[in-house]
Amino acid sequence: MSIANGKIKSVFSLQIGPEDYVSDITGFRLYSEELPPERVTFSKYNNGSANKWHLEIDAVFDGGSQGSLHDFIWNSAGSVADFIIRPFQEFDPSTKRFYEGTLRLGHKPDVKVSAGKISTYEYTFDLVGQPIRSDQPSGYLTAGYYDEY
């Protein structure tokens, strides 16, 4: 069970493990950075895997309630989980691609609260290998989905 978030107006999905946490998320970035030269082999260089991938999220903190993304990360620290990101913004998602892979929940998330403000936190997952870009299955999130926005 994810928490309610009125800030999200884009149509996207962030599934980590078995749950879609789109209502916990205020933003995300899927990015790569070059490996240090001493870790790049000819094989990694030739097949385009000379980069380390990360998924960085900004999320609403609601005190770590049961079923929230913060709760999932906290309880799953030290393990790995599959993820799927469907970053669709005002497009027919049946024509767009999505990204999936495995991420490492390396540590427990921070707890940050400020008086008079909506509490948020940032967390960066390290990916295991590289993300995969795939085609959207036919009929996923199509007719009627945009009526809520």
Side-chain angles (χ1 to χ4, degrees), residues 55-68:
L55 173 60
E56 179 182 273
I57 62 163
D58 299 312
V60 175
F61 175 67
D62 71 337
S65 66
Q66 186 174 2
S68 68

Side-chain angles (χ1 to χ4, degrees), residues 16-139:
I16 299 176
E19 182 77 32
D20 186 353
Y21 291 103
V22 66
S23 59
D24 294 47
I25 302 297
T26 61
F28 70 87
R29 181 171 77 127
L30 183 63
Y31 69 99
S32 69
E33 59 187 5
E34 289 185 25
L35 289 172
E38 62 274 8
R39 294 192 54 209
V40 178
T41 63
F42 286 112
S43 175
K44 287 180 181 177
Y45 180 80
N46 288 337
N47 71 18
S49 61
N51 287 18
K52 176 70 180 152
W53 283 85
H54 308 279
L55 173 60
E56 179 182 273
I57 62 163
D58 299 312
V60 175
F61 175 67
D62 71 337
S65 66
Q66 186 174 2
S68 68
L69 179 56
H70 193 278
D71 181 58
F72 177 79
I73 298 169
W74 188 277
N75 292 328
S76 302
S79 64
V80 296
D82 293 334
F83 76 94
I84 300 172
I85 293 179
R86 294 178 176 96
F88 313 125
Q89 297 185 356
E90 312 216 1
F91 297 105
D92 177 1
S94 66
T95 65
K96 302 301 172 196
R97 303 221 170 174
F98 67 95
Y99 303 85
E100 61 184 323
T102 302
L103 48 79
R104 188 176 314 283
L105 296 100
H107 57 87
K108 294 184 185 302
D110 295 337
V111 174
K112 178 184 167 188
V113 179
S114 300
K117 296 182 180 180
I118 294 175
S119 299
T120 62
Y121 66 97
E122 299 171 354
Y123 191 88
T124 301
F125 302 96
D126 292 331
L127 270 59
V128 178
Q130 298 182 45
I132 298 167
R133 189 175 77 171
S134 302
D135 290 325
Q136 196 60 10
S138 178

